[in-house]
């Protein structure tokens, strides 16, 4: 590896400005690394807003009755929180940030296949986000339908639905184009010798995800257009008064939105599959099975959308099928968990910051997955559907899963991205506080759900008070940990020590180039002769 | 731990809770076992203790083991989930029928003899079928103690059923988000001994008599508004809710849209009457169509007189 060290050190991508100044060196650059960071900063900004809204809701729910806001504001808050978190944060999330940054590097390419399209996708993302946010300020007030936009309420409400729906529609294009770009990149730009079975797991996951983005997103696009048609022209697809069917909307919505959950989680699993081998100094256990299970999830994930609608009135046969497929799609995830733990067996483990995030990911992901089994079974679903239990479950998956993996990946690749190292003991403190707060925030929701507290409730009966207090306090603790983490990273960008080329002893291509990488990543496209994650 | 109601609160509790317990036990076992093994590995194979990793590419045997054991377990879970759910779909023939009507934001229950109530009364140990009707948007009728829930879909008549097993009172919630007052859309189910229920059902006068006939017409009018849930959307103090306030418009000209065209109408007796029986005929500027539904058949002509008396009284 050491012969890769450059003595005449060419400029890093951060110094290479292409003659542009100030903000233009970012927003006009087609370098996949700069675009990755553009996404990182925009997504982080939305995430801060989303978290703030989440905390406001938890403050409202700290006691029965009105505490800090009225019902209308609360309804708008959970809607905007959900829309921001889903469409602006976790769906683009790992693919747009780390996929962009790392996919070309990990497959030994200089950039993605279509760099200009890549930049265009970011502009579309920003345009979509601006549309979504404009709904807060213009017209009849922020939307109050929930992020699911269920008909017929979504076209009866007087609030400002149109821009939110239109925004989600535009965002879909960003997702589709990014997916397309990554698929072509993975097919065409792999370095010589990098056969499919030598591809690290993260690019595999990004590749599988890209197919879902490409194939599932158009469905939600059409559905959202139908809502627009409904609101502007009163067509009546979903309006029972005009012979339409509100349940049709739910089908169309979930046909996309369930696979979208896998858009969120597959790249997260990919990132975890990078971190665990690196910190165990061991090749990943069952590489083929991990890759195969990624593809299995991407495939079977298309056929389980009905489990969001067990109480909507589908036929018994449909319920039977959706329930059993839901259980089956759990198996590939279980396989991954077993393989990750087996990778640690007889390793030589350093419990550094990214590893702590990865190990805690396994725990929270297990909780999310196992509670998913409770919701997948018909009898228990009927009881728990649309209660706080569901809120706990999906936060454990999308926030526990994707969020923890995102923070793990951020700490893992940070030294590569910025060429700087953060303060590790502060990072560990932040993680520990975050983890404790996280558990306190979401665990009580399972109890509330079992006790029967419905979701999207601005107010609740006094019998639900106890667990809600713990949950609200947990949110405050968690945010404290989060703030510590963010400040620590910001400080590192400014004043961190210089990071070496391979601080963690990783084996994949990104660790064989300088930190931060040069504009073209590799002086010379490498030839790959070894399998991935080789430690001997 | 799972004690929000007696095990026989309804005929479904046992099946649902059995499925829940089976999944819970298997899940807790795997959660604890996997976490414990992981923590053990992390401590046992710490870099300091175990400086050289022993490489191992995988094992097909293990992979098959941890594919098929979980597969068998989830199929067991599926089976119990299915068995607990199946009876919910098949109401018995001889069940008593009650129509449950949901609108923003209250439930009403209509009995076969025409009796109309805002909470549900049922006899113990008797199968009850609820015919579910939603008038405006989606709602969902949920009785946690009975472990039953079914969405109420406008334009789609659905059913749910149960046999209450214990005399007592339990919560009913709306669990499908339905707008502003969704979290206040709850009521109760009262399970009564058989004879007491028969007595109660026969007494159809009890409901009509809720208004105190000796009160002033204005006070009676307010009572009508409260009973019909109008105040969820209309305020008496001038503040804007989902609909306009009762205060400040009486006797003024109002800008409305009729058949897509803007006009002005005088707020008088006739206007109030059509606003209640045919609310979407004239839409007040700045408010949305389709939110208020017709109260024809629910609010009588006499009651409208009382409402008008109330609106006049606060605008004096
Ligand atoms: C500080 C962190 C967070 C807090 C305190 C928080 C809290 C909440 C609360 C109280 C609700 C309303 C639950 C209900 O009654 O339906 C909610 C809904 C939701 N949250 Fe979060 N959340 C946080 C982070 C996240 C993250 C990171 C995501 C996505 C990755 C997310 C996605 C959602 C979604 C999709 C909804 C559903 C919105 C809807 O019902 O339409 N949340 N959250
Ligand atoms: Cu409702
Ligand atoms: Cu509701």
């Amino acid at each position: 590896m050491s012969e890769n060290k450059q003595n005449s050190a060419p400029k890093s991508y951060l110094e290479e400005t292409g003659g542009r100044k100030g903000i233009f060196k970012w927003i006009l650059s087609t370098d996949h690394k700069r675009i990755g960071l553009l996404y990182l900063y925009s997504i982080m900004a939305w995430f801060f807003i989303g978290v703030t809204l989440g905390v406001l809701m938890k403050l409202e729910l700290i006691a029965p009755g009105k505490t800090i806001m009225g019902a209308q504001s609360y309804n708008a808050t959970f809607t905007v929180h959900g829309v921001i978190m889903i469409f602006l944060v976790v769906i683009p999330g790992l693919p747009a940030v780390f996929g962009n940054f790392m996919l070309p590097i990990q497959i030994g390419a200089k950039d993605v296949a279509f760099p200009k399209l890549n930049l265009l996708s970011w502009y579309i993302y920003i345009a979509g986000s601006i549309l979504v946010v404009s709904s807060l300020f213009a017209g009849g007030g922020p939307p109050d339908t929930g992020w699911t936009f269920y008909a017929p309420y979504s076209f009866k409400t007087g609030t400002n639905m149109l821009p939110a729906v239109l925004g989600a529609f535009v965002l879909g294009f960003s997702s589709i184009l990014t997916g397309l770009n990554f698929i072509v990149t993975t097919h065409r730009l792999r370095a010589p010798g990098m056969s499919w079975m030598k591809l690290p797991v993260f690019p595999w996951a990004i590749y599988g995800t890209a197919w879902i983005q490409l194939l599932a997103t158009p469905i939600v696009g059409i559905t959202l257009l139908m809502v627009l048609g409904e609101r502007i022209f009163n067509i009546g697809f979903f309006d029972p008064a005009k012979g339409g069917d509100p349940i049709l909307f739910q089908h169309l919505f979930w046909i996309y939105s369930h696979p979208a959950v896998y858009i969120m989680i597959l790249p997260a699993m990919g990132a975890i599959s990078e971190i665990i081998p690196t910190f165990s100094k061991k090749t990943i256990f069952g590489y083929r099975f991990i890759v195969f299970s990624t593809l299995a999830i991407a495939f079977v994930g298309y056929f389980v959308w009905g489990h969001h609608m067990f109480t909507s009135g589908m036929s018994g046969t449909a319920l039977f099928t959706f329930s059993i497929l839901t259980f089956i799609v759990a198996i590939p995830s279980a396989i991954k968990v077993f393989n990750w733990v087996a990778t640690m067996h007889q390793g030589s483990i350093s419990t550094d910051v990214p590893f702590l995030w990865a190990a805690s990911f396994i725990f929270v992901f297990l909780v999310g997955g196992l509670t998913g089994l409770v919701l997948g079974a018909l009898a228990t679903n009927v009881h728990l559907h649309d209660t706080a239990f569901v809120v706990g479950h999906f936060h454990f998956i999308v926030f526990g899963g994707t969020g923890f993996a995102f923070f793990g990946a951020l700490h893992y690749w940070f030294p590569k991205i910025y060429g700087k190292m953060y303060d590790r003991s502060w990072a560990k403190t932040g993680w520990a506080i975050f983890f404790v707060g996280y558990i306190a925030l979401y665990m009580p929701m399972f109890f509330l759900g079992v006790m029967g507290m419905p979701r999207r409730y601005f107010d609740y009966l006094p019998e639900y008070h106890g667990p809600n207090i713990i949950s609200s306090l947990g949110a405050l603790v968690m945010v404290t940990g989060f703030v510590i983490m963010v400040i620590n990273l910001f400080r590192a960008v400014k004043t961190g020590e210089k990071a070496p080329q391979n601080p963690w002893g990783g084996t994949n291509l990104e660790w064989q180039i300088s930190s931060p990488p040069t504009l073209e990543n590799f002086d010379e496209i490498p030839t790959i002769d070894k399998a991935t994650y080789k430690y001997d | 731990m799972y004690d929000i109601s007696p095990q026989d609160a309804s005929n479904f509790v046992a099946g649902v809770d059995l499925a829940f317990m089976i999944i819970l036990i298997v899940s807790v076992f795997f959660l604890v076992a996997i976490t414990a093994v992981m923590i053990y590995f992390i401590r046992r194979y710490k870099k300091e203790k175990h400086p050289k990793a022993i490489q191992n590419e995988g094992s097909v045997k293990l992979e098959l083991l941890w594919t098929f054991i979980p597969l068998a377990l989830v199929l067991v879970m599926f089976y119990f989930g299915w068995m607990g759910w199946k009876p919910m779909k098949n109401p018995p023939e001889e069940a008593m029928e009650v129509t449950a009507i949901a609108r923003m934001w209250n439930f009403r229950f209509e009995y076969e003899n025409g009796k109309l109530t805002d909470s549900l009364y049922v006899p113990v140990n008797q199968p009850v079928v609820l015919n579910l009707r939603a008038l405006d948007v989606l709602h969902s009728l949920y009785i946690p103690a009975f472990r039953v829930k079914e969405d109420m879909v406008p334009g789609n008549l659905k059913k749910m059923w149960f046999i209450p097993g214990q005399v007592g009172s339990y919560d009913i919630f709306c669990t499908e988000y339905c707008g502003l007052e969704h979290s206040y859309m709850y009521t109760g189910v009262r399970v009564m001994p058989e004879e007491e229920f028969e007595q109660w059902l026969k007494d159809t006068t009890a409901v009509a008599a809720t208004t105190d006939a000796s009160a002033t017409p204005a006070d009676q009018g307010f009572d009508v508004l409260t009973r019909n849930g109008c105040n969820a959307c209309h305020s008496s103090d001038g503040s804007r809710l989902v609909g306009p306030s009762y205060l400040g418009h009486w006797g003024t000209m109002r800008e409305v849209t009729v058949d897509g065209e803007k006009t002005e109408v005088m707020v008088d007796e006739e206007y109030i009457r059509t606003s209640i029986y045919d609310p979407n005929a004239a839409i007040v500027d700045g408010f949305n169509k389709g939110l208020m539904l017709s109260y024809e058949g629910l609010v009588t002509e006499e009651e409208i007189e009382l409402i008008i008396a109330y609106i006049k009284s606060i605008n004096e």
Side-chain angles (χ1 to χ4, degrees):
Chain A
M1 268 175 225
S2 52
E3 67 265 16
N4 269 332
K5 269 246 162 61
Q6 305 296 323
N7 27 17
S8 62
K11 284 199 243 171
S12 83
Y13 78 101
L14 289 169
E15 294 157 330
E16 193 83 61
T17 58
R20 289 179 285 263
K21 293 219 164 55
I23 189 169
F24 294 107
K25 60 186 185 218
W26 291 97
I27 63 172
L28 294 180
S29 167
T30 55
D31 178 9
H32 68 101
K33 299 181 285 301
R34 280 187 186 266
I35 295 176
L37 290 188
L38 278 178
Y39 275 113
L40 176 66
Y41 303 140
S42 5
I43 287 174
M44 274 313 219
W46 292 124
F47 186 72
F48 290 150
I49 298 174
V51 166
T52 311
L53 295 174
V55 172
L56 288 176
M57 278 188 276
K58 292 291 11 166
L59 290 178
E60 172 53 43
L61 293 178
I62 200 163
K66 178 178 164 174
T67 43
I68 60 163
M69 59 173 114
Q72 185 65 37
S73 316
Y74 183 85
N75 295 346
T77 307
F78 75 66
T79 304
V80 177
H81 167 82
V83 170
I84 289 184
M85 288 300 195
I86 295 290
F87 293 108
L88 301 184
V89 177
V90 285
I91 289 185
L94 280 129
V97 178
F98 299 111
N100 252 318
F101 203 106
M102 290 300 164
L103 173 73
I105 300 182
Q106 287 195 318
I107 65 174
K110 294 188 168 175
D111 205 323
V112 294
F114 309 114
K116 285 187 184 143
L117 187 66
N118 201 13
L119 183 61
L120 178 68
S121 310
W122 180 77
Y123 276 101
I124 298 177
Y125 169 79
I126 293 297
S129 342
I130 290 173
L131 271 173
V132 168
V133 180
S134 71
S135 69
L136 297 183
F137 304 107
D144 66 341
T145 59
W147 79 280
T148 46
F149 305 123
Y150 269 15
Y153 184 72
S154 59
F155 52 89
K156 291 208 165 170
T157 174
T159 56
N160 213 5
M161 272 281 300
L162 280 178
V165 172
L166 202 60
F169 178 72
V170 171
L171 286 167
F173 284 96
S174 170
S175 194
I176 294 172
L177 293 178
T178 305
L180 180 73
N181 216 338
F182 288 172
I183 291 173
V184 178
T185 307
T186 319
H187 274 276
R188 311 298 304 175
L189 299 185
R190 278 170 293 134
M194 167 93 53
S195 61
W196 286 98
M197 283 298 138
K198 289 200 186 105
L199 209 56
V201 177
F202 185 69
W204 259 121
I206 293 292
Y207 174 76
T209 310
W211 276 110
I212 311 182
Q213 288 174 290
L214 192 67
L215 294 180
T217 317
I219 301 171
V220 78
I222 290 168
T223 315
L224 294 174
L225 276 189
M226 287 165 92
V227 174
L228 294 184
E230 200 80 2
R231 276 197 72 109
I232 304 174
F233 306 113
N234 276 314
I235 300 176
F237 300 114
F238 311 124
D239 185 355
K242 302 199 183 77
D245 183 3
I247 303 300
L248 174 65
F249 175 84
Q250 299 181 12
H251 279 292
L252 291 171
F253 182 84
W254 288 114
I255 287 175
Y256 164 72
S257 295
H258 192 82
V261 175
Y262 297 110
I263 299 182
M264 306 169 200
I265 199 68
L266 284 179
M269 295 167 152
I272 297 301
S273 309
E274 296 291 312
I275 296 173
I276 290 180
T278 301
F279 290 87
S280 307
K281 294 288 165 293
K282 229 184 116 202
T283 185
I284 196 155
F285 195 88
Y287 169 84
R288 281 165 182 279
F289 288 87
I290 289 200
V291 168
F292 175 73
S293 58
T294 301
L295 301 180
I297 293 174
F299 181 72
V300 185
Y302 277 108
F303 305 105
V304 299
W305 79 86
H307 66 211
H308 297 274
M309 303 167 54
F310 284 157
T311 62
S312 301
M314 285 186 295
S315 73
T317 325
L319 295 191
F320 184 96
T321 318
F322 281 125
S323 174
I324 204 161
L325 285 173
T326 302
F327 278 107
I328 287 175
V329 82
I331 300 298
S333 301
I335 295 177
K336 282 175 190 276
V337 169
F338 289 121
N339 280 302
W340 289 325
V341 175
T343 303
M344 297 178 196
H345 180 236
Q346 297 187 331
S348 173
I349 299 175
S350 36
T351 47
D352 225 314
V353 186
F355 183 82
L356 291 176
W357 281 107
S360 48
F361 165 94
I362 294 185
F363 178 80
V364 290
F365 181 68
L366 271 172
V367 175
L370 294 167
T371 51
L373 298 176
V374 179
L375 292 169
L378 289 172
T380 39
N381 179 285
V382 168
H383 178 38
L384 297 169
H385 175 66
D386 264 338
T387 65
F389 194 95
V390 174
V391 181
H393 159 72
F394 72 68
H395 279 95
F396 263 93
I397 294 283
V398 284
F399 192 10
T402 312
F404 277 50
F406 191 94
F407 298 145
L410 190 58
H411 284 92
Y412 180 56
W413 281 314
F414 187 92
K416 179 58 58 187
I417 295 175
Y418 292 100
K420 302 273 180 69
M421 185 49 96
Y422 45 82
D423 182 321
R424 294 177 191 189
S425 67
W426 271 112
K428 284 186 186 177
T429 313
W431 165 79
I433 298 176
F434 187 99
F435 183 71
V436 171
Y438 178 87
I439 298 293
L441 164 56
Y442 293 115
M443 275 290 179
M445 295 194 183
F446 295 127
F447 292 92
L448 288 170
V450 169
M451 288 161 67
M453 180 178 148
R455 69 185 279 207
R456 295 177 171 173
Y457 260 31
F458 152 74
D459 194 2
Y460 50 83
L461 297 178
E463 64 221 51
Y464 301 120
H465 194 190
N468 268 306
I469 302 179
I470 303 178
S471 174
S472 294
L473 296 179
L476 299 177
V477 174
M478 191 192 80
V479 166
T480 312
F482 178 65
V483 169
I484 294 176
M485 177 187 104
V486 171
I487 292 179
N488 188 39
L489 290 180
F490 264 106
R491 266 202 7 225
V493 175
K494 288 230 144 56
T495 63
E497 287 170 38
K498 190 161 168 24
Q501 174 178 319
N502 189 358
W504 317 120
T507 59
N508 286 337
L509 283 176
E510 76 266 33
W511 304 115
Q512 297 169 28
I513 59 175
S514 50
S515 302
T518 57
L519 183 63
E520 303 220 301
N521 305 335
F522 305 92
D523 309 322
E524 205 182 304
I525 293 298
T527 304
I528 296 5
D529 46 12
K530 281 203 296 188
T532 182
Y533 314 110
K534 272 289 179 208
Y535 276 94
D536 31 49
Chain B
M1 64 165 278
Y2 189 49
D3 187 27
I4 57 161
S5 67
Q7 276 297 303
D8 51 357
S10 88
N11 55 323
F12 301 127
V13 176
V16 171
D17 287 10
L18 177 66
F20 184 81
M21 280 330 269
I22 287 173
I23 301 174
L24 185 71
I25 289 170
V26 175
S27 298
V28 169
F29 171 78
F30 274 94
L31 180 66
V32 171
I34 295 174
T35 311
V37 168
M38 180 169 78
I39 292 175
Y40 170 76
F41 284 172
I42 293 174
R43 308 184 65 178
R44 170 70 185 74
Y45 300 112
K46 236 179 152 60
K47 183 173 61 187
E48 292 77 19
K49 278 198 203 154
H50 198 252
K52 180 98 184 81
I54 301 169
Q55 299 302 321
N56 182 352
E57 305 247 309
S59 142
V60 174
K61 234 194 242 157
L62 271 177
E63 300 286 350
L64 291 180
L65 195 71
W66 63 48
T67 304
F68 285 103
I69 291 181
L71 187 62
L73 287 172
V74 296
L75 289 178
V76 171
M77 293 176 186
F78 165 77
Y79 173 78
F80 282 96
W82 172 250
M83 291 313 280
W85 173 83
K86 224 169 67 176
M88 295 183 192
K89 264 290 165 206
N90 303 312
E93 295 284 317
E94 75 286 11
M96 174 182 116
E97 299 212 8
V98 182
T99 304
I101 305 160
R103 62 157 72 204
M104 291 164 159
W105 289 280
N106 57 46
F107 291 106
R108 274 167 180 269
F109 300 94
E110 197 179 338
Y111 291 81
E112 277 158 321
N113 65 354
K115 184 161 179 165
L116 200 61
T117 59
D118 49 17
S119 42
L120 178 62
Y121 294 79
V122 290
V124 71
N125 292 328
Q126 288 259 349
V128 179
V129 171
L130 298 182
N131 297 313
L132 306 174
R133 288 185 54 201
L135 299 183
D136 38 28
V137 297
L138 299 175
H139 301 275
S140 183
L141 196 151
Y142 176 35
I143 311 177
F146 292 0
R147 312 286 190 270
V148 291
K149 173 184 295 137
E150 190 67 40
D151 293 0
M152 305 172 80
V153 183
N156 186 352
L157 197 70
K158 295 169 67 188
K159 284 185 191 309
M160 74 195 276
W161 81 284
F162 49 82
I163 309 174
Q166 283 267 331
V167 171
S169 296
Y170 310 94
D171 294 325
I172 295 181
F173 296 112
C174 171
T175 45
E176 184 63 66
Y177 175 69
C178 55
L180 184 68
E181 308 259 303
H182 166 57
S183 53
Y184 293 109
M185 187 162 162
Y186 60 80
T187 175
V189 46
R190 189 82 183 271
V191 182
M192 307 160 127
E194 176 100 51
E195 311 83 69
E196 199 182 312
F197 176 77
E198 293 304 334
Q199 281 293 317
W200 173 88
L201 187 63
K202 265 191 253 146
D203 184 8
T204 44
T205 55
V207 200
T210 40
T211 322
D212 177 3
S214 63
T216 64
D219 282 350
Q220 291 186 39
F222 187 69
D223 215 56
V224 174
L225 294 172
T226 314
R227 251 189 303 119
N228 286 289
C230 314
N231 299 336
C233 299
H234 299 288
S235 80
S236 299
D237 60 4
S239 58
R240 180 196 162 111
L241 300 177
V242 176
S245 177
Y246 308 124
L247 186 69
H249 305 301
W250 179 259
T252 64
M253 294 303 281
R254 206 104 171 78
E255 312 230 323
V256 297
T257 307
V258 180
D259 295 331
E261 279 173 43
K262 294 212 174 215
T263 54
E264 289 205 338
V265 290
M266 171 65 117
V267 179
D268 54 13
E269 275 89 351
E270 188 46 36
Y271 173 75
I272 301 283
R273 195 180 160 280
T274 26
S275 290
I276 295 172
Y277 281 166
D278 191 4
N280 293 320
I283 304 298
V284 184
D285 265 20
F287 291 89
N288 254 51
K289 190 176 155 156
L291 285 169
M292 182 168 164
L293 300 172
S294 169
Y295 282 80
E296 198 149 6
L298 291 169
V299 176
T300 62
E301 297 275 353
E302 295 80 58
E303 284 175 322
I304 289 192
E305 296 300 318
L306 299 173
I307 292 175
I308 291 171
Y310 172 73
I311 294 180
K312 271 189 187 155
S313 78
I314 61 167
N315 281 300
E316 257 157 21

